[in-house]
Amino acid sequence: MRPVDHFFSKLAVLENALQSPDRSRLEQDFSRLIAPVLGADAAANLCYRTLDRVTQPADLPLTLRKLGAMAAFFSGRI
């Protein structure tokens, strides 16, 4: 399984459980995946700012899909 696929599977688990995302865990996973492309600090900052801008409590699945699409884009998987 490619790292981005593993990240998407984690997002799917959160989406299916309809629980609020653990921001620190999401940031850590996103940063680990994207750090080789952007650097660790930039990846963490991108995740933090993205979640602040796109998070809509009423639509958690859409928020998680947006974060996953960004991760796939930066890892070159789309």
Side-chain angles (χ1 to χ4, degrees), residues 1-35:
M1 177 181 284
R2 298 176 304 180
V4 74
D5 294 327
H6 184 67
F7 184 68
F8 270 116
S9 72
K10 288 181 180 182
L11 293 178
V13 168
L14 286 174
E15 183 178 330
N16 289 336
L18 291 179
Q19 56 187 327
S20 62
D22 177 358
R23 285 183 70 121
S24 62
R25 184 66 184 173
L26 278 175
E27 185 177 314
Q28 186 178 48
D29 290 343
F30 183 89
S31 296
R32 188 176 305 121
L33 182 62
I34 303 305

